[in-house]
Amino acid sequence: MRASRLINILTTLQAKGLVTAEVLAAENDVSVRTIYRDIDALSLSGVPVYSERGSDGGYRLLDGCRVRLNGLTPSEAEAMFLSGIPGAAADLGLGALMAGAQKKLTAALPEDLRESARRLQTKFYLDAPTWLAEGEQPNYLQAVAGAVWSSKRIRIRYRSWTAEKNRVADPLGIVMKGGAWYVVARVDNTPRTYRISRVLDLIVTDEGFDWPKGFDLAGYWNENTRRLELDLYPNWATIRISPHGLKEIEHIAPPYVRANIGFVAEADEAGWQTVRLPVAHRRMAVHEMLKLGPEVEVIDPPELRDAMRQAIETLMNRYAQGEDDLTK
């Protein structure tokens, strides 16, 4: 365990530069006193690690020192090769760089770890789009990615749900979700999300921008996703659903709805169950319930039940008129 900890201290110092004993202790789940002993052991073994005193002090490796470590475990080597799954890197224009990095990593690994990494690649494949949907390859994806890497301001003409808009934005990061690519960009000092396939025109300017202090891309995206789910499904409904309908809802309902289904009562003799679940605004809620056909009955709220009745009556009248026309 100590050998693993010493390697972890070395890789942390090499990656981060100046690091305090407190940070090293937290990362390795040991006391600060243990870190002091580990640093002494590294110094005695010839590793050029030294301390900087003061409130902004800590430990660092001698400038220019690079420690070559081949202490990857089989699981770590496999995890590294997951980053080389084809698709996303190629879409971003990084396919050749990813392939080159993989070759270098393979050459540096012992033979047993090479075989472990190769075996993983033959047994795992990422297909990001959902079923019956194609992954996007937006026209401006690589240009947006280049602006993100170089921190260059962009000017875009964007088609939203309601209108075309012109925006000057600071691109902070790129996210792929369900086969669709998004750019998170700061507009008027506020992070916003834009689907890259809806960008109609793009100009990457020569203007740089400063990274917003405290911004975390993953944190922003997760919070934005939760907020969007609440906006899309602000209401609740109680329904009766058949066993077949319950299986169908696992396929057609989004994850947020599936995760919040609550069973209100025990199943009846026919297997129908009463459940409570989040639903969209009335028109969309009716559309989603109609997908389940005769496998569902809306109990509450009354306005959604009435809207379902009206939609079904409209369909019945439409098909009845069709039959009359066909018999003429």
Side-chain angles (χ1 to χ4, degrees):
M1 290 182 66
R2 190 187 188 199
S4 177
R5 188 172 67 246
L6 292 175
I7 290 174
N8 189 52
I9 291 172
L10 277 174
T11 55
T12 301
L13 293 174
Q14 186 163 292
K16 296 183 178 180
L18 186 67
V19 186
T20 65
E22 288 75 15
V23 169
L24 290 172
E27 288 189 359
N28 291 277
D29 197 24
V30 294
S31 68
V32 172
R33 192 175 296 277
T34 298
I35 294 297
Y36 292 155
R37 289 196 294 267
D38 289 341
I39 294 294
D40 288 341
L42 289 172
S43 297
L44 290 172
S45 66
V47 176
V49 57
Y50 67 93
S51 63
E52 291 186 4
R53 303 194 179 278
S55 57
D56 297 325
Y59 294 103
R60 69 161 65 245
L61 293 175
L62 186 68
D63 290 344
C65 173
R66 306 297 293 174
V67 181
R68 206 176 159 191
L69 299 170
N70 288 324
L72 287 175
T73 66
S75 297
E76 289 170 339
E78 291 173 355
M80 287 291 292
F81 273 82
L82 280 179
S83 64
I85 295 172
D91 290 346
L92 291 170
L94 301 176
L97 291 174
M98 183 68 73
Q102 263 196 341
K103 289 179 182 178
K104 292 178 181 178
L105 178 58
T106 301
L109 290 175
E111 182 56 38
D112 59 330
L113 294 190
R114 293 184 205 174
E115 182 57 34
S116 180
R118 292 192 196 103
R119 187 171 60 252
L120 179 74
Q121 288 183 305
T122 65
K123 295 185 177 182
F124 187 89
Y125 178 75
L126 176 65
D127 186 10
T130 56
W131 283 105
L132 306 180
E134 294 184 358
E136 294 181 347
Q137 291 185 324
N139 293 332
Y140 294 106
L141 176 59
Q142 293 188 18
V144 170
V148 170
W149 309 150
S150 59
S151 296
K152 296 295 184 183
R153 189 161 288 150
I154 59 176
R155 299 177 185 274
I156 61 173
R157 183 164 63 91
Y158 182 79
R159 184 183 68 249
S160 69
W161 290 106
T162 56
E164 290 186 10
K165 302 176 182 179
N166 293 300
R167 291 286 184 266
V168 177
D170 299 336
L172 304 176
I174 293 178
V175 176
M176 183 176 70
K177 182 177 178 65
W181 289 95
Y182 299 85
V183 57
V184 176
R186 181 176 57 185
V187 176
D188 297 329
N189 291 320
T190 302
R192 303 170 188 263
T193 303
Y194 298 93
R195 190 163 178 167
I196 299 177
S197 62
R198 294 192 186 131
V199 174
L200 304 177
D201 289 305
L202 171 78
I203 297 175
V204 180
T205 73
D206 292 328
E207 303 174 61
F209 62 89
D210 295 326
W211 186 265
K213 186 176 181 180
F215 178 76
D216 174 62
L217 179 62
Y220 163 81
W221 183 261
N222 292 331
E223 178 60 31
N224 189 62
T225 300
R226 285 191 291 269
R227 186 167 57 249
L228 178 61
E229 289 170 339
L230 291 173
D231 288 343
L232 290 176
Y233 295 92
N235 304 315
W236 289 82
T238 303
I239 64 173
R240 289 183 66 247
I241 189 166
S242 71
H244 180 72
L246 204 55
K247 292 179 181 178
E248 284 295 307
I249 209 169
E250 288 295 322
H251 296 289
I252 65 176
Y256 175 74
V257 173
R258 297 199 305 268
N260 287 280
I261 292 177
F263 292 86
V264 177
E266 296 291 334
D268 61 20
E269 294 181 356
W272 283 61
Q273 291 184 294
T274 302
V275 302
R276 190 168 182 265
L277 74 171
V279 293
H281 295 284
R282 190 180 308 170
R283 183 172 180 178
M284 182 60 70
V286 169
H287 176 74
E288 292 178 344
M289 291 296 168
L290 287 175
K291 292 179 182 178
L292 295 167
E295 308 300 327
V296 66
E297 176 190 1
V298 174
I299 305 300
D300 190 66
E303 54 269 24
L304 179 57
R305 184 178 174 91
D306 290 342
M308 286 290 292
R309 183 187 299 111
Q310 293 171 13
I312 293 168
E313 289 175 352
T314 299
L315 288 172
M316 291 177 62
N317 292 333
R318 183 170 298 151
Y319 281 98
Q321 292 173 1
E323 289 178 359
D324 292 342
D325 293 338
L326 289 173
T327 57
K328 289 181 181 178

